[in-house]
Amino acid sequence: MDNQFDLIFYDRFFNWEVMAGSYIVKNSKFSVDFLTEFSNYEQKLPKGAHGSDNGAIHLFFADKIFPGDLEVDTCREVYYNSWNSADLSAYTGCIRGILGSRTDFGNIRIMKKGTGWSKDDWLTSGLWNPARDFMLHGWKTKQLKTTPSDVLKPIPMKYDQWYNPLAGPIVVERCFIGNTSWSYTPRLLGDRKQIDESLMEYARKVDKEKAKSLGRLSLILENP
């Protein structure tokens, strides 16, 4: 935790959203006020496709960082006239265009794609490396699959499945502070360089998709 910042967020990897469901918070007045105000933002959500907290966090950020900005108002109009996931993607792209490539905004930091503390492991077919991966995100018990017997490559697989990285079954009762006796299956321990290269290739794809989504902005604004 960098003491310069009260709140640290990170870019989601598989799209251009700021991750709203996981963040690091310093116990400060700024953080309490920020999160309290954001928790009440549901009263301002549009009637159409709003993306819940994942959608709202972008406009909330922009209003905090650039209050009264005309470009933000344009993105706001897009948000309040979004009716499907494509519209919502265009809206988030609109906001990210205003934020630019910066990471630091006063008391807030938004870590760049691939540098955060959590990763959806479907992006690399369940392969991970302890030198780069701290947390793996997106697991649901009903989506747990048997690890394939063939050699896995660090490429995207279906997002609604995951493999157990432990050498044995997951026993929740053993998940307590102080237990460091974890044994991992070597079959899911991937080469860091290969994982990084695969993720970079995927990041390029996402960036191109974001650019394409911006072409939808004029359609939304012209047909509210």
Side-chain angles (χ1 to χ4, degrees):
M1 180 74 181
D2 190 324
N3 286 328
Q4 177 184 346
F5 304 101
D6 292 271
L7 288 150
I8 300 179
F9 296 82
Y10 67 87
D11 277 355
R12 300 188 83 162
F13 207 95
F14 62 88
N15 59 21
W16 40 96
E17 292 179 351
V18 174
M19 176 64 163
S22 179
Y23 43 85
I24 298 175
V25 185
K26 181 195 293 185
N27 186 4
S28 67
K29 184 179 185 304
F30 178 89
S31 296
V32 171
D33 290 345
F34 182 97
L35 294 175
T36 299
E37 187 176 351
F38 182 56
S39 69
N40 293 322
Y41 204 80
E42 64 178 337
Q43 308 299 328
K44 300 180 180 180
L45 293 177
K47 295 180 179 179
H50 52 69
S52 190
D53 56 341
N54 287 315
I57 192 69
H58 298 82
L59 189 55
F60 185 72
F61 266 141
D63 279 334
K64 286 291 186 184
I65 298 168
F66 305 110
D69 188 272
L70 291 177
E71 291 183 77
V72 174
D73 286 340
T74 298
C75 296
R76 189 190 323 278
E77 185 176 347
V78 173
Y79 188 38
Y80 279 83
N81 287 286
S82 293
W83 297 101
N84 52 54
S85 59
D87 292 346
L88 195 59
S89 292
Y91 147 72
T92 54
C94 182
I95 294 291
R96 295 314 300 266
I98 295 173
L99 297 181
S101 59
R102 290 171 56 189
T103 59
D104 301 344
F105 304 90
N107 301 63
I108 302 170
R109 166 171 282 179
I110 303 174
M111 300 180 71
K112 285 184 176 295
K113 193 181 300 297
T115 65
W117 53 87
S118 181
K119 182 192 77 181
D120 293 273
D121 69 344
W122 63 264
L123 289 164
T124 53
S125 291
L127 294 178
W128 67 287
N129 186 283
R132 72 165 319 283
D133 294 309
F134 177 62
M135 296 177 68
L136 300 177
H137 170 263
W139 291 357
K140 294 180 175 64
T141 302
K142 64 181 180 180
Q143 296 175 348
L144 174 62
K145 305 295 182 182
T146 301
T147 305
S149 57
D150 52 330
V151 177
L152 294 170
K153 296 181 180 180
I155 57 177
M157 63 179 181
K158 292 181 179 179
Y159 70 89
D160 57 349
Q161 64 183 49
W162 60 283
Y163 308 130
N164 178 14
L166 300 179
I170 297 175
V171 181
V172 177
E173 289 73 19
R174 295 179 182 175
C175 299
F176 57 84
I177 296 176
N179 182 10
T180 59
S181 59
W182 302 108
S183 297
Y184 301 103
T185 174
R187 299 197 62 253
L188 293 179
L189 290 173
D191 179 80
R192 177 172 183 174
K193 182 179 179 181
Q194 292 179 355
I195 290 175
D196 286 343
E197 289 176 348
S198 178
L199 289 173
M200 181 59 68
E201 182 178 347
Y202 194 88
R204 292 192 184 97
K205 175 184 175 182
V206 170
D207 197 57
K208 291 178 181 178
E209 290 298 322
K210 180 180 70 173
K212 292 178 182 178
S213 77
L214 295 177
R216 192 173 181 82
L217 293 176
S218 60
L219 296 176
I220 300 171
L221 293 170
E222 292 170 3
N223 300 280

